[in-house]
Amino acid sequence: MIKLLVRRSGSRERNTLLSLLGMSESEYKQYWTSQIYRGEAQSEPITLPSNGMQKEALATYPGAIALVDAADVKPGMKVLKIDGHMPGEEHYPLH
């Protein structure tokens, strides 16, 4: 099971996530409410206030995934390609 970890509303990481999803904050909340209501999700993603707490949660929850700044990647964390590109590569969509 994958556990999605997200930063709090207003954070740069949260704004990047919303931009990737093409959603406003209210659309994002409405999406998760409807997913739970229909039984397609048990809960909305875990919201954490800081990068440090997010890194701790990544180490705590097997299968956890989070959007973090490439500069904050620590040993043991895995980085996923987006559109076939790693952070720092040409055509990486999150600059």
Side-chain angles (χ1 to χ4, degrees):
M1 175 195 259
I2 294 175
K3 180 62 91 175
L4 181 59
L5 309 172
V6 297
R7 290 288 311 279
R8 72 178 184 279
S9 179
S11 68
R12 186 169 53 99
E13 293 84 357
R14 176 75 159 245
N15 291 338
T16 299
L17 175 63
L18 294 174
S19 176
L20 282 171
L21 297 173
M23 293 180 171
S24 67
E25 185 68 37
S26 62
E27 290 169 328
Y28 175 83
K29 293 224 179 252
Q30 183 178 18
Y31 170 82
W32 283 106
T33 299
S34 67
Q35 291 292 304
I36 294 165
Y37 180 75
R38 288 193 307 259
E40 295 175 11
Q42 293 179 341
S43 65
E44 65 181 80
I46 297 172
T47 301
L48 298 166
S50 70
N51 284 334
M53 290 181 77
Q54 197 168 20
K55 285 183 242 176
E56 284 181 33
L58 283 169
T60 302
Y61 295 107
I65 188 169
L67 182 65
V68 298
D69 190 301
D72 290 329
V73 173
K74 301 295 182 213
M77 296 171 84
K78 296 177 181 165
V79 178
L80 301 176
K81 290 182 178 182
I82 297 180
D83 292 335
H85 301 283
M86 295 293 283
E89 291 180 353
E90 186 178 0
H91 304 295
Y92 184 72
L94 302 177
H95 290 284

